Amino acid sequence: MNTAAAKKAVVKDDAMNLQKEMIAENYHQLARAHQEGKKISATFVPGNLNELLMCFDFVRRLPETDALQNGMRKKSGKMIMDAERDGHSEDVCTYVKSDLGMMLQGEVGPTGEAMPHPDVLLLSYTGCFTFMKWFELVRQKYGCETLMLHVPYQGDGRINPAMRDYVVNQLKDKIIPALERISGVKFDIDRLRSYMRESQKAEEDLVRVLQSAKQRPSPIDGYFGGVYYIGPIFTAFRGTPEATRFYATLRAEIEERVRQGKGPVTPEGEMAEEKYRLVVEGPPNWTSFRDFWKMFYDEGAVVVASTYAKVGGVYDFGFRHDAERPLESLAEYCLGCYTNLNFPQRIDMICKYIDEYQADGLLINSIKSCNSFSAGQLLILREVEKRTGKPAAFIESDLVDPRYFSAANIKNRLESYFQMIKQKRAAAVH
Amino acid sequence: MSTKEIVARCEQLFEDLDFSAVKQWKAAAPGRKAIGYMPIYVPREIVHAAGMLPVGVFGGGDQLEVIQGDAYYQSYICRIPRSTLELGLTGRLDCLDGMLFPSICDVIRNLSGMWQILFKDKYVKYFDLPQTYDDATGGSFYVHEMQTLRADLARLAGREITDDQLRASIAVYNDNRRAVRELYAYRAKKPWQAPTSEVYLLLRAGCVLPVEEHTRLVRQYLAQADLEKRAQRDNARVVLTGAFCEQPPLGLIKSIEMAGCYVVDDDFQLVQSYLLEDVSAAGDPLEALSRAFLHHSAQTSSKYDEKKEDKGKFLLHQVKTRGAEGVVFAAPSFCDPALLERPMLQEVLAKHKIPYTAFKYAENTGQMAPIREQAGTFADSIKLWSAA
């Protein structure tokens, strides 16, 4: 694969460039925060209470984003090995080890700027067991104050009032008073409401963008390209006017592509012909992100919908942040994140995507680090095949550990899979 | 029964992957039902009060050939969900009318959904446990979770589960917990008289026997064990930790002992010792169970520690009160809770100058020589070079 050529002339649309600038600016703010007398919070992407944290003027850090940024910049491998040398098992999540390794290496962030300690770790315990241990490990090392927000799992496939009340009560009685104390800023519910109104606008535009992939050809790639589209809303920007502007710009850009009948923008330019339409389950690999993507667009494969694009919030089935019921709505947002859904719900969602987005099949990228996503995915594969009659395929990689990305194996698998889809189509015609 | 006979009976129950004891119990009276539960903890009192048999399902051990279960999991997932699925898919768990999956980790959590899909005719519940420990917030949620279980089981039983029945069950389980505490205390005092390989089998019998019978068996063992004088060795006294979910093979426990370690505390069967004090058998029974969980339960890695200073407190307490000289970290491969927790506990032990060693296993680990060598070296290092 000619990665050098791919790197030389990376093509991005305007919105992709804009989101890159936003994320870079957030890293600048983090680096300067303590010098400017600002406090830093850290929290996770699923169950990210960005609007609430903004009410207390925190500069916001998301450790998963730090890890993936380090992965994309090829820095995570050494960080992971440093963490393993420091006593962390080779069996556990590489996001955690990348984060701990980054700290061990002198607390320099992905952009090369300083990455100061957070003043508070908001442990939004949503859909991932590892989150709990991750922040306990950070606390153990650096003594940061940690606030647990326990978000119950949708074991029965629904949110019952007791689950919502539990989260709301924690917010009211524990989280908000603690954030007031740590930040020195009094909580103002109207301020929260105003951020949530902004969130709603951005969410509406994001859904239109993601659902544009129902068109043929799809104007977007809902997985690789989707990563750029979900970036701001899943991280430090949901609820900000910048995010609202970003999603309005993005939506306009995508609607224009639809009008012109264009396919998605790839790092090597516009995709010429859409040959395969896929739904993907599981996060991407970050260390070889572009090589991975190239395996798809070289074959004319577009991801029309992905579950990963729902990990920081499921908006395409109607949920919006509701400024009229701010705390209840924050609770429902957390409870509804993709990895907090049970298996039957996840399978239903994937089947619906295959149907509504007229996909040729399901591809599962199974991630070694992430048991929340991965444990049981082979049953998802069987069930989806059974229910939709569409072929499914399974590949394995990791989030940020370069040792677990075998390009040749994955490419072989994908090529066979595309062949299988072709044969199925031919069989259907005859 | 002599000690030998008690242990032989327990071993037979342990090795019986067809859960014959459960089938016999069900067959003894019409309409009886059994409910399986996975590690670490569920309030078995509610199942008992419904007139049902709670059955601990701790995987398939090293005697089960896993064929179908492997087809559902990647190589980097631990073994307990595969062997549990194997038990289910081969009909060995047909005697169970339902399964409870407590919140322990993402693998067991996802298994609850898989069970819903694969065993549609069974009752399945993911049983969430609170990670906030005040009565008003975590307690209210937990009481609701227990109330849901109570209502579900009442439907299954075809009768109401009354407060009186729950209080009676709490009393029965308090007695069992006392017996288990006595067993642990006795083993810590005279580990040569009650080897861990026997204590372990005795605890595993509690997974399938009615609780009243198990309590009697534990007490019988204690009485008999003291009558039979066994040779005392100059072994190192260790706490074994990290084995709270997927269980090590019995051969591994024996290997550790043969290598020169007396295991004086462990977390193999936490469900039986999780609540550290008697649960109040007066007043609202679910609130009593909630208070016991929130304020008087063991620390383990699937539970959040509210403060940095709390980390490792329980392990230190085990070491101190049992007179242990070191800690063996034994964790199943790919076990997120145990392996993510381990460096934090090791740091606490290092601060207190408590020696430790660590290894990984799977429930079907067959090669004991490396573990025996490691445990032996650890025991030697304690005996030869410890400050004492």
Side-chain angles (χ1 to χ4, degrees), chain B residues 267-284:
Chain B
D267 57 1
F268 294 132
Q269 291 287 302
L270 265 185
V271 67
Q272 295 177 38
S273 52
Y274 204 54
L275 304 184
L276 302 170
E277 296 174 11
D278 278 1
V279 181
S280 169
D284 185 308

Side-chain angles (χ1 to χ4, degrees), chain A residues 91 133 136 139 366 382, chain B residues 74 76 301 311 334 341:
Chain A
D91 290 357
K133 294 291 118 180
E136 281 188 354
R139 179 182 65 186
S366 185
R382 287 178 188 206
Chain B
Q74 304 88 316
Y76 50 78
S301 54
K311 185 60 70 188
F334 305 109
E341 181 86 350

Side-chain angles (χ1 to χ4, degrees), chain B residues 3-21:
Chain B
T3 311
K4 208 172 162 188
E5 285 166 335
I6 294 169
V7 173
R9 176 160 187 239
C10 293
E11 191 156 13
Q12 189 197 358
L13 292 168
F14 169 71
E15 285 173 352
D16 179 13
L17 295 173
D18 290 316
F19 293 83
S20 308

Side-chain angles (χ1 to χ4, degrees), chain A residues 90-91 127 129 133 136 139-140 148 150 152-153 155 162 166 170 174 339 366 371-372 374-375 382, chain B residues 71-72 74 76-77 106 109-110 116 128-129 131-132 144 301 304-306 308 311 334 336 341 344 360:
Chain A
E90 64 272 24
D91 290 357
F129 170 81
K133 294 291 118 180
E136 281 188 354
R139 179 182 65 186
Q140 178 101 349
M148 159 63 87
H150 178 202
Y153 179 62
Y166 177 40
Q170 290 176 77
K174 222 177 68 173
T339 50
S366 185
N371 284 339
S372 176
S374 304
R382 287 178 188 206
Chain B
Y72 289 90
Q74 304 88 316
Y76 50 78
I77 306 285
D106 295 332
R109 183 198 73 177
N110 287 2
Q116 288 172 18
D128 222 337
L129 293 156
Q131 299 288 357
T132 54
H144 182 272
S301 54
Y304 177 62
D305 285 326
E306 283 186 311
K308 181 185 172 184
K311 185 60 70 188
F334 305 109
D336 279 341
E341 181 86 350
M344 292 184 274
K360 291 189 292 185

Side-chain angles (χ1 to χ4, degrees), chain B residues 92-221:
Chain B
R92 290 173 167 99
L93 298 180
D94 285 355
C95 56
L96 302 180
D97 300 278
M99 273 288 275
L100 304 178
F101 296 85
S103 56
I104 164 170
C105 71
D106 295 332
V107 173
I108 300 300
R109 183 198 73 177
N110 287 2
L111 186 59
S112 70
M114 295 171 75
W115 217 266
Q116 288 172 18
I117 292 165
L118 292 168
F119 305 99
K120 289 194 185 347
D121 58 330
K122 302 283 184 183
Y123 169 67
V124 180
K125 178 159 177 62
Y126 174 76
F127 188 76
D128 222 337
L129 293 156
Q131 299 288 357
T132 54
Y133 308 126
D134 59 301
D135 295 303
T137 317
S140 299
F141 170 73
Y142 186 42
V143 167
H144 182 272
E145 194 69 3
M146 287 191 284
Q147 191 60 51
T148 306
L149 177 63
R150 174 187 189 169
D152 290 349
L153 294 182
R155 259 193 303 279
L156 209 58
R159 67 156 171 87
E160 214 188 322
I161 303 171
T162 65
D163 281 359
D164 281 341
Q165 286 164 338
L166 280 166
R167 281 189 283 265
S169 296
I170 286 173
V172 168
Y173 275 94
N174 277 342
D175 195 30
N176 183 258
R177 281 185 282 267
R178 278 194 292 268
V180 170
R181 280 200 291 271
E182 287 160 22
L183 177 66
Y184 270 61
Y186 180 78
R187 178 185 59 172
K189 201 173 158 198
K190 297 178 181 176
W192 57 94
Q193 289 292 103
T196 294
S197 52
E198 293 183 4
V199 168
Y200 177 71
L201 287 171
L202 204 51
L203 294 174
R204 284 298 296 262
C207 292
V208 290
L209 290 178
V211 60
E212 301 84 350
E213 193 181 339
H214 182 241
T215 306
R216 280 195 299 275
L217 198 66
V218 171
R219 295 226 162 95
Q220 218 174 347
Y221 173 85

Side-chain angles (χ1 to χ4, degrees), chain A residues 233-372:
Chain A
I233 206 161
F234 280 8
T235 60
F237 300 95
R238 199 184 62 225
T240 64
E242 295 99 300
T244 309
R245 273 198 300 278
F246 169 82
Y247 284 100
T249 307
L250 176 65
R251 180 176 174 178
E253 211 172 273
I254 300 303
E255 284 175 349
E256 184 54 27
R257 298 189 71 76
V258 173
R259 269 192 289 279
Q260 294 180 19
K262 287 181 172 176
V265 174
T266 76
E268 292 182 50
E270 219 156 81
M271 209 174 98
E273 190 193 350
E274 178 186 284
K275 292 184 189 160
Y276 309 103
R277 294 168 66 84
L278 304 177
V279 170
V280 173
E281 146 78 8
N285 163 271
W286 301 109
T287 50
S288 300
F289 184 78
R290 216 164 275 154
D291 294 346
F292 192 26
W293 190 355
K294 188 172 164 57
M295 292 177 198
F296 289 72
Y297 63 72
D298 276 355
E299 297 286 339
V302 179
V303 181
V304 287
S306 67
T307 55
Y308 181 68
K310 317 295 157 11
V311 76
V314 176
Y315 299 109
D316 50 351
F317 297 107
F319 172 81
R320 299 286 181 274
H321 279 86
D322 181 357
E324 302 311 312
R325 323 160 38 244
L327 298 185
E328 291 78 4
S329 177
L330 287 179
E332 285 160 5
Y333 154 74
C334 292
L335 288 158
C337 287
Y338 179 71
T339 50
N340 207 49
L341 306 182
N342 77 356
F343 252 56
Q345 288 174 296
R346 283 171 66 181
I347 291 168
D348 284 348
M349 186 191 268
I350 292 168
C351 290
K352 208 175 260 186
Y353 284 157
I354 289 180
D355 178 39
E356 290 179 359
Y357 288 75
Q358 304 159 67
D360 295 302
L362 168 70
L363 175 75
I364 296 179
N365 181 34
S366 185
I367 293 292
K368 176 186 174 280
S369 272
C370 187
N371 284 339
S372 176

